[in-house]
């Protein structure tokens, strides 16, 4: 069952989807492939879906996931197993059905004038960056990726970035790949050397905040993807607010991607653990 | 055996085409759901709470999932009644559906001012006075936990509006029938219940409460038995209609509330899980009546067999 | 990093080897669970409610499952304190585990008579005064919903016993801290909470309530957020220890209650689903402390970070 | 994991079991076969198990089921799909694990002196009668079965009874098999003709009550299996009480089988629907 949305708003659908595959990527991270013809066709980089994972259960809220890649009728979601929802997702088997609402939110802005982009991602922050890197490369934009993780094994989507990026720099906390240290240490030299037209960031919020400041210092526009706990996912419940210079915005419909300079970081706190 | 069901119900002078309305704060003003729901098939849209001045709401995180339920501490974030009229009401005027505006205030005077501002708006079919929000520091639930304060707000708003007046009650009280009788005595045309149960959840990894505000309101299937009990108690104690809510996710849940004494039912948290929940429940309710040979859905109200 | 955890906790003058006790009415006197649980590893056994005279309890059906919870209307069926002493206490005397006897009455005098009868029984480590059972017509919850009645029962039982006195509070009140303070002022050595939330469920096939008594007490994971909130409020309001309960099914749940301010925790409904629940939770609690480098489980009490 | 019980009480175990098979018997009725070595060995006719059906879910109470048959390490349970628990049970697949507590309760009494027994069952009342009929027949007791159902297709365990009973009488509401009408109409002539030493009854409580009266009139001892909603299943919670001439008894440990003459029927009401 699918049903379309009102004219005025972004076109969002409630779509019944089928699991085509679900595999472990690394410790605690999985990749699920969904057959979702209608949503897959409409989704743009940085948008997300609101997934109903386990219908049999008495009650479970939907869970939001960025679309990692979309091709034809397929959606790929890269997920980290954290709690009850993602654990259930990790157990979903080929052929199972679930439903999702999507595509949701405003994705990454990709001005036509772009010639060089820097993508900075930490940990699972690479999830919403897959489609972005691919589309930018297809448009002929030179893509540089700065990717950080705790250890080499957790550099998820590393191959994808290696394929499409002109340059792919890595930092790991334990030095098992690339530089030892935080990904933020890579950003300053990259901004200086490569002079990107834009910086895209996704990762833990403290890291996003630092990169946003680095971009601001260099005078480069910066976009960040923010996460909030989401109830409805479609703008109705106000559980996902982000404080911005333009007041409180809903991450689900006004984001999840924001211009970094709009975000009032001090009050934009995410749950401590994530 | 009937082949059609009369789905209409009456809330005082207000007739609804069917008993299924939205629960305040879970459906905004309906716009966001217009892609999933035929709004014209709703009994009514009950809007998010509106106050005199803009309210910023509480810090994030504002929700947490719990067993068969969720906590929220949104805190009545809203742009104030003026902006609400200019935007939501203008949009709602284009839709053929009764609109019940949920109103809030930090003081009796603020409740009255909101009611006065809405009095001239023809699109507003009724007011729902929220004296039960656990998520604001002043006012909110405090009005709903004291018989005299509940009576005072009701009396004041009553004198400010000729529209049907529904008072929304909090479950966080020793005796909800006492509050219900008090607002009935002051001229309320109906009561709606329950608002959320005050709850708390703590993250055992971080030792922080899961909500930034520490406590919030519990809703969803978990609270249904408490809600059904209170609807039953209140329906037995007052003679004005009751709008029942709290955990309704299926047509059978809606039936349960009606059997307990509700004239209409509101669907809240279930919208988040299934944005088409209101339609599914309305259709299911009609099918239930058809199957049982019930000609008018209103026959279900209070039909519990003790 | 510690390699052992000091699991002992103190409830006034009573020391428990660990914080995990049984919730009254869900574990009888332990005998039925002896095949599944090493009773000696429990913090304490809290017995089913005992009254002066035998009580027959309510009509059947007495339980109904709800979303993440259950309703019960057992109604304190028990053979009376004399039979209890002759049978359950004799058996309990053979086990090396603290025994807390949960007592009930239709009147203050009955509470006192039960306490007096138990005073001489050395095997009884403490009394838990149930002023919160929603399932009996006279007394029961009525004592727990009024500050003065709660104070009166506590005062009377206090003067009848030198054993540690715990008062069990009902969540069906507007302000539980007010009741907690009242019983503290009358000499209670601790409070336990929550008893069940009053609820109702109706069978939509038969239109009959699912419980013969119509209403009953809601317990299980569904109520946990309400229970954690109340434990947090009460622990902040009184200086006597709090025994926390309501929906505890895992070690993390127990941690959550301790963080909120509980000194000990009781496991109730979870025993029905998993008869080994108390052991699993005790082991998990110890493992939690070990992993986090917490040397004394008591450090968790009230450690929520606001 | 299994663990034994205290000396004084019936020996009950918590056993982890595996689904060996699960098939539809007729509309809304299924038969699940469990590998439960320890419980299967100890169970006697009329006893039951308290099954934890769906562990993944937030919360679901155990559900009590009679043991229909036990052989070697296997238990067979005949179940009617009524609500959430039995629906979940109907979806259990081969290889799935669950746990159960058992064997529970007092089963049918089978005095050594028995030479002729009448088994009366209505609907799913045949569930706890399978083992009973088999054991009686093995002991050389002549078994007569009076079986009632709404229609021929719902005469569950019909073959089993046909195999082991000396006489097998049937009544259906619609007359599609045997007599048209209630099974109770068969009982009086059978008691008169066959002169059984005992009558065993299981079915809807109103039917049990009538048969108990018929047996009493004929002066034949009668045993009934009663159902109650059960919390703990082991005697602790008092949710399952039955009013008897000896006071309130717990169906789970003092029953589910009672001597019919002890039962105070008037107050022993079951939920209306079942
Ligand atoms: C727009 C958006 C896109 C997202 N994209 C992805 C993605 O592509 N891949 C991915 O793995 N995750 C993504 N997330 C996060 C994902 O939604 C959560 O990890 C997931 O909901 C956790 O569900 P759970 O039931 O497993 O955990 P829960 O049991 O609900 O929570 C476990 C822990 O994780 C924290 N947590 C849960 N949800 C969030 C959240 N949204 N933000 C921050 N912390 C959270 C909780 O506070 C808790 O501490 C995205 C979130 C948003 C808002
Ligand atoms: C000792 C004992 C042995 C039993 N043996 C069998 C058996 O062999 N095969 C079988 O199919 N069933 C048996 N039952 C009944 C079985 O336990 C219930 O049908 C089952 O628990 C229903 O679970 P559910 O989740 O599907 O239904 P629920 O959703 O819990 O309930 C659905 C409807 O069935 C009613 N109901 C539920 N449980 C019972 C009960 N125990 N007694 C009466 N009405 C009930 C409810 O009130 C409700 O109206 C037995 C019950 C007992 C006490
Ligand atoms: C996110 C959220 C926001 C809410 N906001 C309001 C509100 O603004 N005004 C109000 O009266 N009730 C509000 N409520 C309470 C609901 O209207 C309803 O009374 C309650 O959630 C119980 O119903 P449910 O279990 O179906 O959600 C809110 C509930 C939720 C979950
Ligand atoms: C079947 C049942 C019987 C109960 N009997 C008593 C009782 O006799 N005395 C009492 O103080 N509380 C009684 N309670 C309440 C529990 O002790 C406990 O306070 C409540 O169930 C919440 O905990 P839980 O969610 O872990 O079950 C009973 C609860 C249940 C479910
Ligand atoms: S998740 Fe509901 S408004 Fe964003
Ligand atoms: S089911 Fe608990 S005593 Fe029988």
């Amino acid at each position: 069952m699918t049903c379309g949305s009102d004219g005025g708003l972004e076109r969002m659908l409630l779509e019944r989807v089928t699991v085509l595959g679900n595999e472990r990527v690394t410790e605690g991270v999985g990749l699920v492939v969904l057959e979702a013809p209608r949503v897959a066709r409409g989704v743009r980089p940085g948008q997300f879906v609101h997934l109903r994972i386990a219908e049999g259960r008495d009650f479970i809220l939907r869970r939001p996931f960025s679309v990692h890649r979309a091709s034809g009728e397929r959606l790929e979601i890269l997920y980290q197993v954290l709690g009850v929802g993602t654990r259930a997702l990790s157990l979903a088997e080929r052929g199972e059905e679930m439903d999702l609402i999507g595509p949701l939110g405003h994705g990454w802005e990709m001005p036509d004038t772009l010639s060089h982009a820097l993508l900075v991602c930490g940990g699972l922050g690479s999830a919403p960056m897959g489609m972005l890197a691919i589309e930018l490369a297809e448009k002929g934009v030179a893509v540089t990726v700065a990717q950080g993780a705790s250890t080499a094994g957790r550099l998820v989507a590393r191959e994808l970035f290696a394929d499409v990026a002109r340059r792919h720099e890595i930092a790991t906390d334990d030095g098992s790949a690339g530089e030892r240290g935080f990904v933020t240490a890579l950003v300053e030299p990259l901004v200086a050397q490569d002079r990107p037209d834009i910086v895209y960031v996704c990762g833990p919020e403290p890291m996003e905040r630092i990169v946003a400041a680095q971009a601001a210092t260099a005078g480069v526009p910066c976009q960040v993807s923010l996460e909030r706990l989401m109830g409805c996912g479609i703008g109705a419940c106000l559980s996902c607010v982000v404080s911005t210079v333009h007041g409180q915005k809903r991450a689900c419909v006004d984001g999840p991607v924001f211009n970094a300079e709009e975000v009032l970081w001090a009050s934009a706190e995410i749950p401590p653990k994530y | 055996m009937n082949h059609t069901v009369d789905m209409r119900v009456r809330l005082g002078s207000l007739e609804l085409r069917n008993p299924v309305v939205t629960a305040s704060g879970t459906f905004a003003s309906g716009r966001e759901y217009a892609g999933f729901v035929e709004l014209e098939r709703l009994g009514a849209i009950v809007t998010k709470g509106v106050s005199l001045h803009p309210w910023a709401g509480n810090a994030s995180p504002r929700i947490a999932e719990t067993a068969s339920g969720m906590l929220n501490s949104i805190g009545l974030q809203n742009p104030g009644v003026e902006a609400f009229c200019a935007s939501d009401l203008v949009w709602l005027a284009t839709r053929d559906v009764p609109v019940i505006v949920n109103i809030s205030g930090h003081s009796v005077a603020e409740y009255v001012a909101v009611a006065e501002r809405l009095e001239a708006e023809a699109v507003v079919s009724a007011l729902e006075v929220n004296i039960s929000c656990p998520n604001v520091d002043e006012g909110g639930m405090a009005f709903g936990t004291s018989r005299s304060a509940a009576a005072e707000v009701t009396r004041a708003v009553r004198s400010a509006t000729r529209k049907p007046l529904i008072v929304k009650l909090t479950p966080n009280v020793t005796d909800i029938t006492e509050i219900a009788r008090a607002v009935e005595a002051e001229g309320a045309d109906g009561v709606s219940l329950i608002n959320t149960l005050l709850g708390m959840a703590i993250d055992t990894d971080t030792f922080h409460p899961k909500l930034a505000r520490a406590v919030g309101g519990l809703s969803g299937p978990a609270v249904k038995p408490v809600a059904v009990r209170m609807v039953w108690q209140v329906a037995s104690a007052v003679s004005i209609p009751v709008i029942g809510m709290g955990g309704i996710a299926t047509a059978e849940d809606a039936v349960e509330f009606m059997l307990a004494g509700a004239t209409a039912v509101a669907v809240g948290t279930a919208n988040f899980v299934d944005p088409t929940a209101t339609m599914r429940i309305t259709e299911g309710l009609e099918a239930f009546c058809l199957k049982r040979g019930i000609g008018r859905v209103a026959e279900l109200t209070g039909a519990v067999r003790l």
Side-chain angles (χ1 to χ4, degrees), chain A, chain B:
Chain A
M1 178 191 48
T2 65
C3 75
S5 90
D6 212 18
L9 299 162
E10 288 284 303
R11 182 156 186 79
M12 50 172 107
L13 305 160
L14 176 61
E15 186 170 36
R16 189 120 199 108
V17 303
T18 308
V19 175
L20 297 176
N22 191 8
E23 56 187 43
R24 186 178 174 282
V25 171
T26 176
E27 179 63 30
V29 177
L31 180 83
V32 65
V33 184
L34 302 172
E35 185 175 48
R38 301 187 57 191
V39 172
R41 260 195 295 275
V43 69
R44 286 176 304 111
Q47 287 190 299
F48 71 99
V49 295
H50 212 26
L51 193 61
R52 187 167 183 190
I53 298 167
E55 285 179 51
R57 291 182 25 141
D58 278 335
F59 175 87
I60 184 171
L61 289 169
R62 287 173 186 270
R63 298 290 193 269
F65 295 95
S66 301
V67 173
H68 181 52
R69 293 177 71 156
S71 59
E73 313 207 316
R74 296 156 158 245
L75 287 181
E76 289 180 22
I77 290 170
L78 201 54
Y79 60 91
Q80 181 165 14
V81 179
L82 278 178
V84 54
T86 46
R87 205 169 314 119
L89 184 58
S90 73
L91 299 175
E93 286 176 16
R94 193 187 155 78
E96 246 174 70
E97 294 194 359
M98 20 183 107
D99 81 47
L100 56 76
I101 310 176
L104 295 174
H106 283 292
W108 305 105
E109 275 178 28
M110 294 185 281
D112 285 340
T113 55
L114 234 47
S115 70
H116 190 155
L118 172 61
L119 281 53
V120 185
C121 42
L124 254 276
S126 44
M129 293 285 196
M131 260 188 100
L132 176 66
I134 295 169
E135 284 212 11
L136 288 171
E138 279 171 3
K139 285 187 177 199
V141 178
V143 171
T144 300
V145 174
Q147 186 178 16
S150 55
T151 184
R154 300 188 66 84
L155 290 161
V156 288
R158 185 176 181 176
E159 296 72 26
L160 184 157
F161 293 137
D163 270 7
V164 303
R166 207 204 42 175
R167 187 168 177 177
H168 183 201
E169 300 287 328
I170 284 169
T172 52
D173 298 355
D174 65 358
S176 54
E179 299 290 308
R180 176 191 300 267
F182 293 129
V183 66
T184 46
L186 305 174
V187 174
E188 235 175 82
L190 282 174
V191 170
Q193 292 157 27
D194 284 16
R195 311 234 32 92
D197 310 317
I198 193 164
V199 180
Y200 297 105
V201 198
C202 187
E205 207 148 315
M207 169 273 218
E208 295 190 328
R209 191 177 176 169
I210 295 171
V211 177
Q214 292 170 320
T217 306
V220 182
C222 177
Q223 298 217 309
V224 294
S225 179
L226 296 177
E227 287 192 6
R228 287 293 180 279
L229 297 181
M230 291 183 175
C232 68
I234 61 174
C237 73
L238 306 181
S239 55
C240 64
V241 290
V242 171
S243 300
T244 76
V245 293
H246 306 301
Q248 286 185 313
K249 296 286 176 188
R250 295 161 298 177
C252 64
V253 288
D254 305 321
V257 175
F258 291 89
N259 287 323
E261 59 198 8
E262 290 175 42
V263 178
L264 295 177
W265 295 98
S267 58
E269 268 167 44
I270 52 158
K273 198 163 45 179
Y274 194 71
Chain B
M1 183 81 186
N2 294 323
H3 297 279
T4 60
V5 182
D6 181 351
M7 292 291 281
R8 292 169 302 173
V9 295
R10 295 200 74 84
L11 294 175
S13 60
L14 178 64
E15 184 178 285
L16 308 183
R17 30 174 101 79
N18 69 61
V20 181
V21 310
T22 62
S24 175
T26 65
F27 209 76
S29 289
R31 205 169 187 156
E32 289 77 6
Y33 281 93
F36 304 104
V37 166
E38 271 184 70
L39 300 179
E40 287 71 15
R41 288 176 57 207
L42 290 169
I45 289 180
V46 181
T47 70
K48 171 77 188 157
V50 180
S51 53
L52 182 59
H53 305 295
W55 286 4
N58 295 313
S60 291
R62 290 177 167 189
I63 57 168
E65 189 170 301
T66 64
S68 295
M70 65 177 281
L71 290 167
N72 90 79
S73 58
I74 308 297
L76 289 172
Q77 177 186 330
N78 81 91
V81 69
E82 214 42 73
F84 174 79
C85 291
S87 160
D88 295 40
L89 283 190
V90 168
W91 185 82
L92 281 165
T94 67
R95 314 300 301 230
D96 175 27
V97 58
V99 174
I100 300 177
V101 178
N102 180 279
I103 69 172
S104 278
H106 290 311
S107 63
V108 174
E110 282 187 17
Y111 279 102
V112 169
V114 180
E116 282 170 349
R117 174 64 187 83
L118 294 170
E119 191 59 10
E121 300 283 346
V123 55
V124 178
S125 304
L127 300 184
E128 181 180 56
V129 183
N130 180 5
I131 57 166
S132 49
C133 183
N135 291 320
V136 294
D137 289 317
E138 301 163 74
M141 196 170 83
F143 288 111
T145 56
S146 138
R147 186 165 41 178
S148 57
E152 192 191 341
V153 178
T154 309
R155 191 181 322 128
V157 177
R158 175 73 293 170
S159 64
T161 187
R162 264 159 307 159
K163 296 187 192 286
L165 185 63
I166 297 154
V167 179
K168 184 155 178 188
L169 307 181
T170 172
N172 301 293
V173 292
T174 306
D175 181 2
I176 194 167
T177 63
E178 166 188 298
I179 313 284
R181 275 191 297 253
V183 306
E184 178 183 40
E186 296 298 343
D189 298 299
V191 285
S192 54
L193 60 146
I194 60 173
N195 208 315
T196 53
L197 279 164
L198 193 62
M200 181 180 192
I202 302 173
D203 188 317
T204 55
D205 285 333
T206 64
F207 290 18
H208 286 286
K210 289 193 178 175
L211 300 175
R213 192 186 146 79
V215 297
L218 183 65
S219 63
V223 309
K224 197 182 70 169
V226 175
V228 170
R229 181 262 295 183
M230 289 188 166
V231 165
W232 180 65
Q233 290 178 319
V234 168
S236 316
V238 300
S239 46
I240 50 178
V242 173
I243 306 180
M245 74 197 79
I248 295 177
T250 67
E252 281 67 35
D253 295 337
V255 171
E256 200 176 342
F257 276 87
M258 293 189 73
L259 294 175
T263 296
V265 293
V267 178
T269 303
N271 293 306
F272 304 159
V273 177
D274 174 7
T276 68
T278 46
M279 295 296 103
R280 186 168 42 73
I281 291 166
T282 307
E283 287 162 18
L285 195 53
E286 185 163 5
F288 180 93
C289 292
L290 268 183
K291 200 175 134 202
R292 307 267 311 205
I294 293 168
R296 298 185 312 111
V297 73
E299 291 168 39
L300 291 173
T301 298
V304 61
R305 298 193 186 127
L306 293 174

